Amino acid sequence: MSDIEGNIQAKAKKLLKDGTIKYFIGYENGSDPLHTTPCFIKKAEDVDKIVWNPLCVNNLAGYLTHDKKRELKKGEEEDKKPIGILVKGCDSKSLVQLLSEHRIEKDEVIIFGVPCDGVIDPKKLEKVLKDKNLSVNTIDSLTIQHDGKNYTVKVNGKKYSFPKDKIEMSKCSDCTQPNPIISDETFGEKVKKSDKKDYKTVEEIEALPLAKRWKFWSDQFAKCIRCSACRNVCPVCYCKECVVDSADLVITPQTTSSEKANKMPWLEKNVDPAENMFFHLTRMMHMAGRCINCGECERACPMNIPLSLLTKKLEKEVKEMFDYEAGIDVEAKPLLSIFEEDDPGDFIK
Amino acid sequence: MSFEPNIVAFLCKWCSSAGADLAGVSRLEYKPNVIPIQVKCSGRVNPLYILKALKEGADGVLVSGCHPGDCHYVKGNMYARRRFAILRKLLEYIGIEPERFQVSWISASEGTKFAQVIDEVTESIRALGPQKKLTKVGFDE
Amino acid sequence: MTSSNSFKAENFVIKKEDVAQFLKGLSDYTIYAPVQEEDTVLFKVIQNPDKIALHITNTVKSPKFVVLPQTETMLKVTKGKENSIKIDEPVLDEKNILFGIRPCDARGIAILDKVFSGDYKDPYYVKRRANTIMIGLACTDPHRNCFCTSVGGAPDSTDGLDMLWTDIGDLYFVTVLTKKGMKLVKETVIFSKATSENTRVMNKVHKTAHEKITEKLNADALPKKLENLFEDKYWDEVSMKCLGCGSCTYLCPTCYCFDINDIEYRDKVKRVRTWDSCQFSSYTIHTSGHNPRPNKENRMRNRVYHKYKYHHDNYNELGCVGCGRCITYCPVDMNLKATIKELAEK
Ligand code: SF4
Ligand code: SF4
Ligand code: SF4
Ligand code: SF4
Ligand code: FES
């Protein structure tokens, strides 16, 4: 157990014991040694479940909004105590975004910040281990340590070394915010990652001729099964009712005509190129100036659709056109609720 | 038979729609390919409307509002400009011809400009041919 | 719809190098087989048998979509002359082969058979299913999340299959299980009778695969246990991390919930049936706006109850085949195996 892990546990224990927080959201060991999984610790005696290591990939910030959507049971009283939560650098950006949009307020959360030197992509890890003839099926123990440019992975007692870029989440390689932007307590030393965002993958697509770009994206979205994992995993996607859920068109005698007009089925449930494209374009429009490129949507997608190529494009354009970056300033106004006189307008006749 | 594009135009009530009226009463001739939909303000045009129009088979979409500074609601068009700039970038990025979605500022006194813009938009979309990429599938004969 | 006839299984072998030729000979059929594209293995229509990827235990998406497509057009309505309307129904006479389907997925389809061609016969399903031949491939390297043996299956289960193939080195051992399967074998001279040595190797391969699945869950206890756990606090705890996406149910070989919508386009309408998921917040929402399953704990409970109680109440077998997909692909690593264990111990 690392010092950081121990300190997080101790602090969580203290806050749970003295009743400061209603629960703590962190990570625990997952279904296999390659995964950790989000955990919700309600009792002080359970804190030793909490782990902190490079497999702590998930962005937990979105869970803060789950409570707000939950319908209370009969007789259940709302627990108004704050929630304790563990955030890495990137995760803290989504937290800042949620705070700036007043989806959560600062006094509703106690933030445990961990400077982060990169996290592992379990899919990549599985692949490099396979190349070494290590199947997930036979891995009983696995620990990972940072080691300069490499990771040392100890599998079933034996050590292997892998270069960072081979197994790290791709979002980590050009991370400019590895240290939590906001936190009540920071665990561990500050780290330095990258100075500059890298948009090479986006530029490669931009450079393709139009027809090729269409081919690329239509092939990708043909794979989409519209499971909504990308939407639901997103920490800043929190609406109780989503515009793409056409089934939410509930009409009662009280429904006014304007409500009906606003509740038209924008998206049909059939899964085909047109509807899928509509889904993704709509999602992206709703993410403009809000997406913090945590990479969760791409990670969650079971069909391996490279959604980061969309979210990074969005981030790049928002930066270039409006000099705006999501998730860095709690006081910032939402991108689409402000404007500048000299915003780009050369496309307008 | 040459291809006649279907174009949906969201026109703000106070400027562009009035501009269209002026083009009409001035008996200006312009292409009949546009289906005008009056909205209160260009700032009221949700990007969903544009995508939905394309999904319903529009070959192109035009949104037109007041010139900067002239919006009846002071700055609706300024907010709209941001949204449209992003939508255009996204559409281009996924491989949709940028001409499929166009924007213009047309004032109530610009009947001539209205006729001109409609002609230009129509011709640029005609040149692209029918829009199939974002149109609902499975309805072709 | 599995062969209730008294077909007596017969054993053959085929050389691995002859498989491509066998498949090429089946030109009357649309052949679906696992294909790897980048990192994703999926059942796809194959033109070129060399593209088939049988090295992966299971595909991301279960092949149920061949008999229960995610989007099925039930009918199309178009305007004819003078206010008349024209209604087109799909023909559905395509003949399909599912090649390399794993025993759990075939059992999944056998489960769907009971749902869609039991008391109520769903014409779309029944037709597609009758036109589908399933050639199974026994698992030799079960994935860590596989638990078929705990839910009545096996890496060499034959439920629902027309043939079961087993990799025995240079050959596939071919057990023909139905007349439909026999017809394919009879059409070519590529298959030869299995020898007793072949059978010995095949049995050994099956045994080794069984041994690789070390964990046995007490899943059979659940239908009874769940009778008293509906209001249990457990659901609140276990569902906390669930996102309410549809990955688990959309990838699952036995989930079959659907929704029917009419889609308009100009003067045409089509009625489509699409998959639906009990994990979506909109799943049970009523016209009144009331939602009897408002929270994720209600929805996750439904998923487990359906598989482990309701389906059992109706069909006397579990509604899960233990393929493990809902564990492997859940973005928050929800562990159904752990859930089964925890519930069984309650
Ligand atoms: S997670 Fe992937 S498959 Fe699911 S809706 Fe999003 S893009 Fe589509
Ligand atoms: S990267 Fe994806 S999951 Fe993360 S904030 Fe952006 S849209 Fe949401
Ligand atoms: S269990 Fe996992 S895959 Fe299923 S709905 Fe919840 S988060 Fe999505
Ligand atoms: S519930 Fe999970 S393990 Fe069971 S059949 Fe469905 S996906 Fe497979
Ligand atoms: S009223 Fe014309 S753009 Fe706002």
Side-chain angles (χ1 to χ4, degrees), chain A residues 23 28-33 35-40 42 58 63 66-67 69-73 76 126-127 130 135-140 220 223-233 240-241 245-248 250-252 268-272 275 296 299-300 302-304, chain C residues 37-40 42 44 55-57 60-61 70-71 141-145 236-237 240-247 250-251 259 261-264 270 272 274-277 279-282 285-291 294-298 327-335:
Chain A
Y23 53 79
E28 63 179 332
N29 287 326
S31 64
D32 67 35
H35 291 86
T36 64
T37 181
C39 71
F40 298 75
K42 292 183 173 161
N58 299 46
Y63 285 122
H66 281 217
D67 260 11
K69 284 189 268 191
R70 203 174 152 266
E71 268 182 33
L72 293 178
K73 291 183 189 163
E76 184 184 350
E126 187 173 340
K127 217 154 127 190
K130 208 168 200 171
S135 134
V136 261
N137 300 347
T138 55
I139 297 173
D140 297 317
Q220 290 298 343
K223 295 194 289 191
C224 175
I225 54 170
R226 296 250 302 281
C227 63
S228 301
C230 51
R231 176 193 66 182
N232 289 22
V233 80
K240 192 166 179 180
E241 229 176 282
D245 287 335
S246 57
D248 285 356
V250 174
I251 294 174
T252 68
E268 308 290 356
K269 241 188 178 144
N270 31 330
V271 173
D272 63 37
E275 303 297 337
E296 281 290 89
R299 183 186 65 79
M303 309 310 285
N304 294 328
Chain C
E37 272 166 18
E38 286 168 40
D39 292 337
T40 320
L42 291 170
K44 292 221 158 142
H55 63 287
I56 294 274
T57 306
V60 177
K61 197 162 67 159
Q70 180 163 14
T71 305
D141 194 17
H143 185 267
R144 125 178 254 132
N145 291 334
D236 300 348
E237 306 293 327
M240 289 264 325
K241 66 180 175 185
C242 176
L243 303 167
C245 67
S247 292
Y250 276 8
L251 303 178
D259 193 6
N261 286 291
D262 289 346
I263 318 284
E264 293 166 66
K270 66 177 178 180
V272 290
T274 53
W275 292 352
D276 199 353
S277 167
Q279 300 307 292
F280 292 156
S281 53
S282 54
I285 201 156
H286 291 178
T287 320
S288 65
H290 170 68
N291 191 344
N295 295 332
K296 52 187 176 180
E297 59 267 26
N298 314 121
I327 307 170
T328 309
Y329 301 104
C330 171
V332 299
D333 196 33
M334 188 68 77
N335 190 346

Side-chain angles (χ1 to χ4, degrees), chain A residues 100-152:
Chain A
S100 78
E101 294 176 15
H102 297 284
R103 276 306 126 169
I104 44 167
E105 299 300 337
K106 183 60 202 61
D107 57 6
E108 293 175 314
V109 46
I110 291 186
I111 307 163
F112 290 47
V114 263
C116 164
D117 209 358
V119 284
I120 306 283
D121 183 338
K123 286 181 201 163
K124 288 188 188 165
L125 181 58
E126 187 173 340
K127 217 154 127 190
V128 294
L129 290 175
K130 208 168 200 171
D131 292 342
K132 299 240 183 272
N133 266 330
L134 286 161
S135 134
V136 261
N137 300 347
T138 55
I139 297 173
D140 297 317
S141 76
L142 185 145
T143 53
I144 302 182
Q145 257 173 358
H146 276 286
D147 168 16
K149 282 199 166 52
N150 298 312
Y151 281 106
T152 306

Side-chain angles (χ1 to χ4, degrees), chain B residues 67-93:
Chain B
H67 285 274
D70 289 353
C71 170
H72 188 78
Y73 306 98
V74 188
K75 44 195 181 182
N77 51 359
M78 296 291 92
Y79 295 122
R81 185 170 64 180
R82 280 206 157 180
R83 296 200 284 269
F84 298 157
I86 297 167
L87 180 62
R88 277 181 62 99
K89 292 282 183 191
L90 278 175
L91 288 172
E92 244 187 289
Y93 187 61

Side-chain angles (χ1 to χ4, degrees), chain C residues 147 248 251-254 303 307 319-326 336:
Chain C
F147 59 102
C248 48
L251 303 178
C252 174
T254 69
R303 180 162 77 91
K307 309 260 167 212
C320 161
V321 294
C323 71
R325 284 186 179 88
C326 59
L336 181 64

Side-chain angles (χ1 to χ4, degrees), chain B residues 3-73:
Chain B
F3 159 65
E4 287 299 336
N6 279 318
I7 298 163
V8 174
F10 296 98
L11 309 176
C12 88
K13 173 178 162 141
W14 304 99
C15 290
S16 298
S17 227
D21 287 345
L22 182 61
V25 293
S26 315
R27 296 178 173 260
L28 295 176
E29 215 172 275
Y30 58 89
K31 296 277 182 291
N33 301 60
V34 168
I35 303 158
I37 296 177
Q38 196 186 73
V39 289
K40 284 278 185 251
C41 172
S42 65
R44 203 266 173 267
V45 179
N46 189 323
L48 276 173
Y49 298 0
I50 297 152
L51 296 172
K52 176 83 168 167
L54 294 168
K55 188 146 74 88
E56 296 299 335
D59 298 304
V61 175
L62 169 72
V63 179
S64 190
C66 314
H67 285 274
D70 289 353
C71 170
H72 188 78
Y73 306 98

